[in-house]
Structure formats: C-alpha cells, structure tokens
Amino acid sequence: QKEVEQDPGPLSVPEGAIVSLNCTYSNSAFQYFMWYRQYSRKGPELLMYTYSSGNKEDGRFTAQVDKSSKYISLFIRDSQPSDSATYLCALPGGANNLFFGTGTRLTVIP
Amino acid sequence: GAVVSQHPSRVICKSGTSVKIECRSLDFQATTMFWYRQFPKQSLMLMATSNEGSKATYEQGVEKDKFLINHASLTLSTLTVTSAHPEDSSFYICSARERGWGSGYTFGSGTRLTVV
C-alpha cells in the first residue's frame, strides 16, 4: 500500500468554479500536511502546509485535514486559468523523507 | 522566503558523457538537500539525500556509482549523471530544507536532461 494516494485526474473546470483536490494516507503518524503546486517543467512550490486536523485558509485556497479519516483536501475558490497546474500533496515522514502523492493535473478553462 | 537555485535548467548530452547539475540554497544554509527524479505525468521519486560533509544516502534501486552526489558546502550540492544513457533522460529536481523551519522543503526549478 502506498503511503499517499492521490487521484491523478486530469481535472478540467470552468473559470470561477470551486475545485476540490484530495489525498488519502495510510500512516496515522503523519503530523504535517503540505500542498505543492507544480507548473509544467518547473519545480514544485509550496502552496500551503498544515499541522494536525482542521482547516487553514489562505486567500482563495483552503487546506483541510481529517486525521480520523486520514484524508486531506485542498479547495480552490473562484478558480482562475493561472491555477492550471499539477497539485501534489506531500507528507513528511521521519527526518528526511517527503512522501508525495502522484499529483492531480488541473486545467481551468477561461 | 527560502530560494533554491538549480542549474542548468535544460541540458542535452550525448550518450556516454557525464552531466553535472548544481543545486544552491541562496539565502539559507542547508545541511541536507534532496535529489528527485520525475518522469512525465508521474510524481517525484526521491533518489538520494545529500548531507553536507558526508556521503549521500541513496534510495533503494538508485545506482550510487551512476548518480554521484557531492555536498561540499552548506549551500551547494551537485548531482553528476555519469555515462549517461537515453533511459536517464528525465526531469531532475533538488530541494533543500531550511534549518529551524518545521518540515519546510524548498524546491529548485528542475533540470530537464535529454540524452541522445
């Protein structure tokens, strides 16, 4: 079983739609939860990180963690064409390792 | 915020030659840097962990003699792909973790290697 599972998509939505991106994980010991955004042929950039369960909001982005279900989500409100990218969830495990989901490719259509 | 510079962004080399990729932390010291490989439409795969002043730790299945890692200073790690072959063509990305900041990882912009 993979440490982190993520639906690879692709996901296409019209501009202005609410986008929901999700990951599940297997190890209940994970404490930090991150979302990275990766544009084509670029390195990932940290979008949000959360610690423990609950919601965290940053502008149009909301990260949600449900540790009881081992389920994390990223919501994007009022999606824009510039949000078109691949979104990866990532969970630090131990001192050095970062477990990535496969990434969900999102396209926001103008 | 923390910035990681990776160079070159793109390189084409002939089969059998070696290629060096540099990863620099510009405004912070990184005792640990990480090297990833990413195939098209796939997620990042950790290749090795680079430790300043000591040997790198390689993930299972990664040939240490083929992917040479040197972390000579607190701001620079290099990955050398030796005797490159077409199957080594991939997107290589480094990342660094700033000391004292939880588990935050900053990524370089990646290097697209094409071996012809």
Side-chain angles (χ1 to χ4, degrees), chain A residues 32 34 36 38 41-44 46 49 88 92 95-98 100-102 105, chain B residues 10 32 34 36 38 41 43-44 46 91 93 97 101-103 105 107-109 112:
Chain A
Y32 282 90
M34 302 175 175
Y36 282 85
Q38 185 177 22
R41 300 182 182 180
K42 297 289 184 184
L46 182 64
Y49 77 96
L88 302 107
N96 294 322
N97 210 353
L98 192 59
F100 281 97
T102 52
R105 179 178 286 187
Chain B
R10 192 169 208 167
T32 305
F34 308 91
Y36 293 85
Q38 187 178 35
K41 299 183 181 181
S43 191
L44 289 81
L46 180 66
F91 193 53
I93 310 174
R97 189 172 64 183
W101 187 77
S103 299
Y105 297 76
F107 285 83
S109 54
R112 181 156 305 278

Side-chain angles (χ1 to χ4, degrees), chain A residues 59-75:
Chain A
R60 296 185 293 110
F61 298 88
T62 300
Q64 189 175 79
V65 175
D66 181 350
K67 293 188 77 177
S68 62
S69 304
K70 302 191 188 69
Y71 194 85
I72 61 174
S73 301
L74 178 70
F75 299 98

Side-chain angles (χ1 to χ4, degrees), chain A residues 9-14 17 19 105-109:
Chain A
L11 184 62
S12 291
V13 301
V19 176
R105 179 178 286 187
L106 171 67
T107 302
V108 181
I109 303 166

Side-chain angles (χ1 to χ4, degrees), chain B residues 33-63:
Chain B
M33 291 186 176
F34 308 91
W35 288 96
Y36 293 85
R37 183 174 181 174
Q38 187 178 35
F39 290 106
K41 299 183 181 181
Q42 294 189 26
S43 191
L44 289 81
M45 182 191 77
L46 180 66
M47 298 176 64
T49 301
S50 171
N51 304 297
E52 187 265 336
S54 65
K55 290 183 178 180
T57 304
Y58 290 82
E59 295 299 302
Q60 193 172 8
V62 178
E63 299 176 59

